[in-house]
Amino acid sequence: MSDFTRIEFNAGDGKPLFFLRLTPPDPYRGPVMLVHGMSVRSNIFNPPVARPLPHVLADAGYDVWMLNWRASIDVEPSDFTLDDAAVHDHPAAVAKIGEVTGWDTMKALVHCQGSTSFMMSICAGLLPDLPKVTTVVSNAIALHADVRTLMDIKMPFAMGALRHRVDGMDAQWGYHAPGFWAKVTRSLMLLHRECRNPVCRMSSVVYGAGWPVLWRHENLDDATHDWIKGEVGWAPIAFFEQIQASLKAGELVSTGKYPLSVLPLRFASQMPKTDARFVFMTGSMNRCFVPTGMAATFDFFEKVAPGRHTFQKMHGYGHLDIFLGKDAATEVFPFILDELNRE
Ligand SMILES: [Zn+2]
C-alpha cells in the first residue's frame, strides 16, 4: 500500500474515518471515490493481481480516493445502520475530496452496502453541491435487494436466534469463534466444504446462498483466494435487520432513526434528488444479491430519465470477483473506465 497516502477526516457525527489516496502525476480526469462494501475495507479493491482497479484508474488519469467508511474493518466497530453512513459518512467524504483537490466535480464507484448507503445519501440530496458527483458506477445492489430463498432463511436465523446474544457476525469466526453463539454460527461452515479457506467458507455462511457466495472460485487466482483471509470481518446485526426490512418492503428502506425530512422511509418510491448519471452493474452469477434487484433499480431510473443511465451484467462473474478476478483487468475494468470517462 506504499503507493497510497492516508487522509483522515471525521464523519458528520464525529466518527474518525479515512481515505487511502492514489494520485498519478497528472490526475487530469479528476477525483473518483471508491466505496467498499460491508465488513471489508478499502483494500478490497487492491488484491494481489497484476493490475488492480485503483492502479488502472490512476494510470487512466484519475485521482483515486478509496474511502474507509464506518463499515470498514479498519474503523472502530459500531452498531451502525446504512442510515448513519448515508447521513454522516458520504456527505463528509465528498466534501473532504473537494476541500483537498479543489475540483468542483467528481465521480464515484460504489459496491454493495457502500452502494446502498451512498445511493440513500445521493437520492436524499444529502451530498454537497460542490464537488458535484456527476457519475456513479454502482455494483451488485442499489435501491432494490433481491436474493434467493436460502439467504432469507439465514437472515432470520441471524436476527431471531442471535439478536441480544451477539452484536454482529464475523467471517473471522472461521478461524476463531468467541463464545457459544459464534460457535453455533461457525458450525454452519460444515455446509461449506467447497474449499479449505476458513474465511471464504465463513463468509458464505454469513452472506447468502452459494458455494462460495461472494466470488466464483474459478475467477480467483490462488494468491487472491489466500489473501481474502485477512480482508473479510465483522458486520453489525443492525445492518442485517435493515436489509431484511428492505427485502420485505421490495425496496431499500431507512430505519426511521432520522427525520423524514432528512431520509425518506422508502428510496424507490420518490424522485431521486440528483441528476447524476448512474451505471448499474453486477455479475450475472451474483449469489449474494441476484441481478434482478439491480435491474429493478435501473428500471426505476430509466423511468425518471429514459436513455440516460446504463445497466450491465458481467457474464460469468459473481459478487466481489468483479474487482478481485484474475481477468477483471481485461474483462471488467475497461467497461468501468469507459463509463467513468463518458461525459
Ligand atoms: Zn474459497
Side-chain angles (χ1 to χ4, degrees), residues 289-309:
F289 293 103
V290 296
T292 46
M294 204 48 132
T297 300
F298 170 72
D299 288 345
F300 171 69
F301 276 85
E302 180 69 4
K303 284 197 185 84
V304 173
R308 177 162 169 73
H309 309 289

Side-chain angles (χ1 to χ4, degrees), residues 126-261:
L126 300 182
L127 296 183
D129 293 334
L130 289 176
K132 183 180 171 69
V133 177
T134 57
T135 304
V136 179
V137 178
S138 161
N139 186 55
I141 174 174
L143 297 185
H144 299 80
D146 203 357
V147 298
R148 298 193 300 193
T149 51
L150 197 57
M151 190 174 180
D152 273 335
I153 296 168
K154 279 183 186 176
M155 298 237 283
F157 169 79
M159 285 164 295
L162 298 184
R163 190 60 167 152
H164 309 304
R165 295 188 173 93
V166 296
D167 55 4
M169 301 191 82
D170 194 335
Q172 295 295 322
W173 291 349
Y175 278 116
H176 171 66
F180 177 73
W181 289 103
K183 286 183 172 61
V184 169
T185 309
R186 185 182 191 275
S187 68
L188 295 174
M189 268 174 60
L190 291 172
L191 297 171
H192 289 277
R193 298 178 181 277
E194 60 272 17
C195 72
R196 298 167 67 89
N197 180 329
V199 173
C200 181
R201 295 168 65 197
M202 191 63 209
S203 69
S204 296
V205 171
V206 175
Y207 288 109
W211 290 266
V213 170
L214 296 181
W215 36 77
R216 295 187 70 216
H217 275 145
E218 301 89 316
N219 289 340
L220 303 188
D221 61 26
D222 289 346
T224 301
H225 185 247
D226 190 57
W227 166 87
I228 213 77
K229 288 189 291 198
E231 297 299 322
V232 189
W234 183 87
I237 290 287
F239 148 75
F240 290 99
E241 290 177 321
Q242 185 167 13
I243 292 299
Q244 176 79 357
S246 298
L247 286 167
K248 278 188 189 153
E251 64 182 282
L252 191 61
V253 296
S254 62
T255 66
K257 175 179 175 180
Y258 297 93
L260 290 179
S261 56

Side-chain angles (χ1 to χ4, degrees), residues 57-80:
L57 294 174
D59 289 349
Y62 284 99
D63 185 1
V64 181
W65 291 69
M66 303 199 304
L67 173 64
N68 283 278
W69 58 292
R70 69 189 61 210
S72 168
I73 54 176
D74 283 346
V75 166
E76 186 67 27
S78 58
D79 197 27
F80 67 92

